Amino acid sequence: MATSFPFLNATGISLPSSRSIRRRSHIVSRQDLPELSSKAVSSPRLRFSRNGGSHDRFLSPELSSPIRSVTVRSQLSTPLISGNDEWGTWTALFATGAFGLWSEKTKVGSAVSGALVSTLIGLAASNLGIISSDAPAFAIVLNFLLPLAVPLLLFRADLRRVVQSTGKLLLAFLIGSIATTVGTALAYYLVPMRALGADSWKIAAALMGRHIGGAVNYVAIANALGVSPSVLAAGLAADNVICAVYFTSLFAIGSKIPAETLPPPTSDTETNKDSESTNKIPVLLIATGIAVSLAICKAGALLTKHFGISGGSLPAITAVVVVLATIFPSQFGRLAPSGEAMALILMQVFFTVIGASGNIWSVINTAPSIFLFALVQIGTHLAVILGIGKLLNIELRLLLLASNANVGGPTTAAGMATAKGWNSLIVPGILAGIFGIAIATFIGIAFGVKVLKFM
């Protein structure tokens, strides 16, 4: 009699009957028959959806064949935390995410980022048999919690304020975005990463979005183009190492630029309110932020289905939240502190799942070529932005901060401006980074499909 999994059926996964599996049992050896007959179905594996249609899921579970399941899983003992142990799995995911956040307070963690720490711990845990590599909880994170985090991150994405407040920094940021595009094309020409097969141009496009906006754009582009989990994890690992070296280089280049003598601006009442809200976030704003984000996700899913947009709903969700944040800046601005705090937690859990879904040997074999690609890409970016910026007589500190916002996003840009004492550039740096997140997904997908795919 076939085993019934109500949770899987609720998410739209069809389970084959034991009769259909028995019809294929003659393919495997006799010694494998007892193990196959004890399970009605093989373990569902997570894969990136490569086709369009009306489904807006980040990953779609795929039932692997009995042969593949026996061959792969027999190499590892039963995970310490079973995939069906929902409480244990969720505890492991959030504990790893929390550890990743804590690690950023250490020298090593701050150098490589909490995202990479969570990814590597998840990768090690699943490959060592501590947690399952295909737990049903992963599908919840990928299909629901990740899209929920996108609007929460972009509540400050008021494009009018970005244009009005950033001044020449926005021009420098746009030059940096062009520099990343040029660097991507050159790097893919020199390092085509042919060993990755169809994933080569896709991961190149995802890294392009990463170095214009941030990690959420990397994920959104990978979702839309269908990058495999192991390549996604390898790209994240390689890129974080490159970024750690790059930020150190930016600080070295700007070491002779003096700090501002003026204290941080105090006339910006909104900045003060944001600071106060960060320290004490009202429960009502948290609840409202979640509700608004869920509604935006629903709207994005409906738009994706109505217009038949392939590649998932994250691009549509991004567009909806940017439009709303621009039309209603004060209302969404009040939700931003609580939204960003929750999004940070959800993204850490997501990075843990990405690591846990990957194969450690695939990551080790894949990462070197991606590392070399990212090195050429980032090096070209720096050369182009400094060269064009010098021709246009843009201050060096603006160019360095804009490059930081391109490669690292609003958080690292604000950190650099604060550490260097460029107090008047803290808020513009944050806004420039948010602007990058708002536009990078669309640029990366378009450039990948129209250019990189045919190189």
Side-chain angles (χ1 to χ4, degrees), residues 320-364:
V320 171
V321 67
V322 169
V323 170
L324 292 177
T326 303
I327 297 176
F328 308 104
S330 59
Q331 291 83 351
F332 277 81
R334 285 196 292 269
L335 300 176
S338 59
E340 290 164 359
M342 289 183 290
L344 185 60
I345 298 171
L346 296 178
M347 289 301 295
Q348 287 297 127
V349 174
F350 163 75
F351 288 125
T352 303
V353 169
I354 286 298
S357 302
N359 181 283
I360 194 167
W361 298 114
S362 177
V363 171
I364 291 174

Side-chain angles (χ1 to χ4, degrees), residues 273-401:
K273 289 181 181 179
D274 288 348
S275 178
E276 293 173 3
S277 299
T278 301
N279 297 328
K280 185 178 180 181
I281 301 174
V283 176
L284 178 60
L285 292 182
I286 296 176
T288 305
I290 294 175
V292 171
S293 185
L294 288 169
I296 291 174
C297 289
K298 177 61 177 178
L302 289 175
L303 289 174
T304 300
K305 182 177 180 179
H306 178 74
F307 292 102
I309 303 173
S310 61
S313 60
L314 289 184
I317 291 173
T318 302
V320 171
V321 67
V322 169
V323 170
L324 292 177
T326 303
I327 297 176
F328 308 104
S330 59
Q331 291 83 351
F332 277 81
R334 285 196 292 269
L335 300 176
S338 59
E340 290 164 359
M342 289 183 290
L344 185 60
I345 298 171
L346 296 178
M347 289 301 295
Q348 287 297 127
V349 174
F350 163 75
F351 288 125
T352 303
V353 169
I354 286 298
S357 302
N359 181 283
I360 194 167
W361 298 114
S362 177
V363 171
I364 291 174
N365 293 330
T366 301
S369 61
I370 300 178
F371 180 91
L372 184 57
F373 169 87
L375 181 63
V376 175
Q377 181 192 44
I378 293 295
T380 305
H381 161 88
L382 181 61
V384 172
I385 189 174
L386 292 181
I388 297 179
K390 186 175 182 179
L391 291 176
L392 298 179
N393 293 321
I394 300 176
E395 287 183 72
L396 180 60
R397 65 172 187 163
L398 293 180
L399 296 174
L400 296 178
L401 189 61

